[in-house]
Amino acid sequence: MNNATKKMRYLILSTNKPSRPQGGHTNSQSARKPSAPKSSSGAAKSSAVKRSARDAALDVLIRVEENQSYSNLLLNQVLQKHALERADAGLATELVYGTIGRQNTIDFFLERFVSKGLAKLEPWVRCLLRLSFYQLHYLDRIPDHAVVSEAVNIAKRRGHQGISGMVNGVLRAIIRSKDELTLPAALGDVKRIALGHSHPEWLVRRWIRQLGPQLTEQICAANNEPPHVSIRANARRRSRLELLEQLQASGLSAEASDLAPAGILVQGAGNMALVPGFQQGDFSIQDESSMLVAEALDPRPGMKVLDCCAAPGGKTTHIAEKMDDVGQIWACDLHEHKQKLIADQAERLGLSSIQTLVTDAAKLDEHFAAESFDRILLDAPCSGLGVIRRKPDLKWAKQEAEIDAICETQYAILSRVHRLLKPGGVLVYSTCTIEQAENEGMVERFLAEHKEFELAPLPADVFTEIDSKAAASGMVQILPQQFHSDGFFIARLRKRDA
């Protein structure tokens, strides 16, 4: 990674944040004394020590390592708990996502410096070394001595003198060998892409088979870039242009999305849920690709709409907004606790047309009469391989064997919910993956067995700019590198008139 690229990723998180000390070193603890006894997981028991960005990041990494927890959820919890300054919260976020995202490459290089092997280290020590290596190798605004000093102090607080000495020795050896940290030249495409862009080999191999090595490498590279922050204007309160002008007048850097008609991209604003307009219902936080689903469904006021797998409600509320809240929308989800997420979204946005139902999507035909809906959205459970940029731990947690089971779940739902669509009605099938078996393959399988359905062109005013050929065909696959949005698949199916 060249210096320009390294700076770009780091600066994105630093925009509009308080200035940090020269060199980017944040909240150094080099003068602090070790706290009292440590727990077996390496967590310091004393609460007297103020937590740094690296402490917070390490807490998240350890829990992801030990419990396979979701990094995005954990990070939010930890940031709230530690109440970090905005600049430190940005650094902690960078360290968590960057370290997890580059994990196999980091481990590849670290192995040569850890005499007993990484696998034999305690999880917290392994995570500390990964965290430190990420700063030394992938970031250029933090001085090497600051990285080492902070890591050694953390090791003293969480462990003992022997561990801190080992950490110090390993990191100093890495610094001395920086120019030698290159990948072998004779790697084949699979290993070269997997190590060069930090993805599991099975996934790279699978994508090469489906898409070829060039496209696979572009996707893997894009997955390591930080995601856009995008919001969806609530047209019932104000137009996108009005919201855009309001955000800019408040000092935020905002621009209209080229991809989604209701979308706005925001830079350097931090958590948009804390912006006053969010609670007032002016906008929702949603990825640009995800916003296209309601556009494909094209619901009209007065229609009866079924959203089969609706939580947390972003697409459901977008549908209601496009219907001007006139009609009936049933938002269904398997998990009872997610029902409240949908209801809260609807209340915040001032929407009354949404009703929720907790049930298995594959059994919706037991709750509703046949041919009773004008529109059906099946945003299907999927492997999620299009959102690796937002959830880097997903690529390490997911196993190839899971994809077949996911496909069967998708088909089980699709093969039953279609019965609820009126003749002439539209069913939109969408996923946040780029896996062909879950996308084109699923639609082709369904159409082969249900001759009463056909692909219908996607709305030209929205989708032609994305891919005119795909829009006309009724299916579009958005890859992560194309618009810097989530990888997403959308298919529009029409049920023929009787």
Side-chain angles (χ1 to χ4, degrees):
M1 180 181 286
N2 59 38
N3 284 346
T5 305
K6 289 193 285 187
K7 287 180 181 178
M8 178 189 69
R9 179 177 172 89
Y10 193 78
L11 287 171
I12 282 172
L13 284 161
S14 302
T15 306
N16 288 350
K17 292 171 184 169
S19 59
R20 61 177 84 250
Q22 187 175 3
H25 184 217
T26 305
N27 202 12
S28 173
Q29 298 177 350
S30 57
R32 294 187 187 132
K33 297 180 180 179
S35 63
K38 323 295 184 293
S39 70
S40 60
S41 66
K45 289 185 178 180
S46 171
S47 59
V49 177
K50 182 181 178 182
R51 313 298 276 172
S52 70
R54 293 172 183 82
D55 276 309
L58 184 58
D59 286 346
V60 175
L61 294 173
I62 292 168
R63 290 172 64 184
V64 170
E65 173 89 355
E66 293 184 323
N67 306 321
Q68 288 73 55
S69 303
Y70 292 115
S71 59
N72 59 327
L73 300 179
L74 273 179
L75 181 61
N76 288 335
Q77 294 171 7
V78 169
L79 291 181
Q80 291 176 15
K81 175 184 175 183
H82 291 336
L84 297 177
E85 295 291 332
R86 189 171 177 181
D88 285 349
L91 177 58
T93 300
E94 170 67 31
L95 296 180
V96 168
Y97 288 138
T99 302
I100 293 174
R102 296 287 184 176
Q103 184 171 304
N104 69 335
T105 311
I106 291 172
D107 286 359
F108 175 81
F109 287 126
L110 273 178
E111 280 290 350
R112 70 180 70 172
F113 298 100
V114 180
S115 58
K116 295 182 179 180
L118 282 175
K120 293 188 178 180
L121 297 177
E122 291 184 63
W124 74 269
V125 180
R126 185 163 56 245
C127 289
L128 178 59
L129 288 176
R130 287 172 176 162
L131 174 73
S132 303
F133 184 94
Y134 177 74
Q135 296 169 78
L136 293 172
H137 190 66
Y138 290 103
L139 301 180
D140 66 353
R141 298 192 70 214
I142 304 177
D144 292 348
H145 68 83
V147 175
V148 175
S149 175
E150 183 81 358
V152 169
N153 283 319
I154 290 174
K156 287 177 180 177
R157 291 197 306 274
R158 294 181 182 244
H160 52 71
Q161 193 68 36
I163 291 178
S164 66
M166 184 274 291
V167 167
N168 182 59
V170 167
L171 296 183
R172 293 191 179 281
I174 290 169
I175 293 170
R176 290 194 298 269
S177 305
K178 269 191 173 184
D179 293 340
E180 302 168 19
L181 298 178
T182 58
L183 297 176
L187 296 175
D189 283 338
V190 172
K191 286 187 177 295
R192 177 181 61 80
I193 295 172
L195 279 177
H197 300 287
S198 303
H199 279 64
E201 287 188 19
W202 72 263
L203 186 55
V204 172
R205 187 178 298 109
R206 190 176 182 100
W207 284 348
I208 287 177
R209 189 166 61 245
Q210 296 176 10
L211 304 166
Q214 183 176 357
L215 203 51
T216 296
E217 186 160 15
Q218 291 173 7
I219 292 168
C220 291
N223 283 342
N224 289 319
E225 297 169 357
H228 283 155
V229 174
S230 55
I231 62 174
R232 185 190 79 234
N234 180 0
R236 300 188 67 246
R237 286 185 58 85
R238 51 180 48 86
S239 69
R240 176 170 73 167
L241 179 58
E242 291 170 336
L243 177 60
L244 188 59
E245 291 173 345
Q246 176 184 317
L247 293 171
Q248 292 170 342
S250 69
L252 295 180
S253 174
E255 60 180 313
S257 166
D258 292 331
L259 184 61
I264 293 176
L265 302 179
V266 186
Q267 294 184 8
N271 186 351
M272 287 300 292
L274 302 179
V275 173
F278 178 78
Q279 288 301 330
Q280 295 168 8
D282 290 346
F283 62 85
S284 295
I285 303 168
Q286 187 179 18
D287 182 76
E288 295 168 275
S289 293
S290 179
M291 296 179 205
L292 296 175
V293 174
E295 304 291 348
L297 194 67
D298 193 25
R300 309 293 173 84
M303 284 185 169
K304 186 177 180 182
V305 179
L306 175 64
D307 188 349
C308 302
C309 305
K315 299 178 189 69
T316 313
T317 53
H318 193 190
I319 292 168
E321 290 166 8
K322 289 184 69 64
M323 293 169 59
D324 198 23
D325 204 31
V326 177
Q328 186 180 41
I329 303 168
W330 279 96
C332 308
D333 200 86
L334 179 61
H335 304 287
E336 186 171 356
H337 70 279
K338 292 185 177 180
Q339 185 179 30
K340 186 176 186 300
L341 297 177
I342 303 169
D344 288 348
Q345 288 255 45
E347 182 180 0
R348 180 180 62 82
L349 294 164
L351 301 168
S352 59
S353 59
I354 298 171
Q355 301 180 65
T356 59
L357 174 66
V358 177
T359 189
D360 185 344
K363 298 179 180 179
L364 283 168
D365 57 347
E366 298 176 5
H367 291 269
F368 300 106
E371 300 186 345
S372 58
F373 288 93
D374 301 287
R375 296 283 192 270
I376 294 178
L377 169 58
L378 174 52
D379 187 48
C382 70
S383 60
L385 297 175
V387 296
I388 288 174
R389 178 189 283 127
R390 295 185 187 279
K391 301 176 180 179
D393 42 317
L394 185 148
K395 62 186 174 185
W396 310 123
K398 193 68 64 179
Q399 302 295 321
E400 186 170 16
E402 296 176 49
I403 293 178
D404 287 343
I406 291 169
C407 287
E408 291 310 308
T409 298
Q410 293 167 341
Y411 196 74
I413 299 172
L414 187 55
S415 62
R416 291 186 67 168
V417 299
H418 79 272
R419 304 169 188 173
L420 303 177
L421 188 65
K422 294 177 181 179
V426 169
L427 185 155
V428 166
Y429 174 85
S430 64
T431 71
C432 59
T433 187
I434 61 174
E435 170 57 41
Q436 289 183 355
E438 301 178 65
N439 296 341
E440 298 98 324
M442 184 61 54
V443 172
E444 290 166 1
R445 176 183 174 186
F446 176 78
L447 291 176
E449 298 181 17
H450 298 87
K451 301 299 184 182
E452 72 275 25
F453 278 84
E454 62 183 353
L455 280 166
L458 292 156
D461 58 333
V462 176
F463 288 89
T464 299
E465 291 297 321
I466 299 171
D467 186 333
S468 57
K469 184 178 179 181
S473 74
M475 289 194 293
V476 64
Q477 174 71 74
I478 298 173
L479 300 175
Q481 81 281 9
Q482 289 178 296
F483 303 98
H484 205 78
S485 62
D486 289 348
F488 230 88
F489 175 79
I490 302 171
R492 192 170 196 259
L493 307 171
R494 179 187 291 119
K495 188 174 185 178
R496 292 185 172 94
D497 291 321

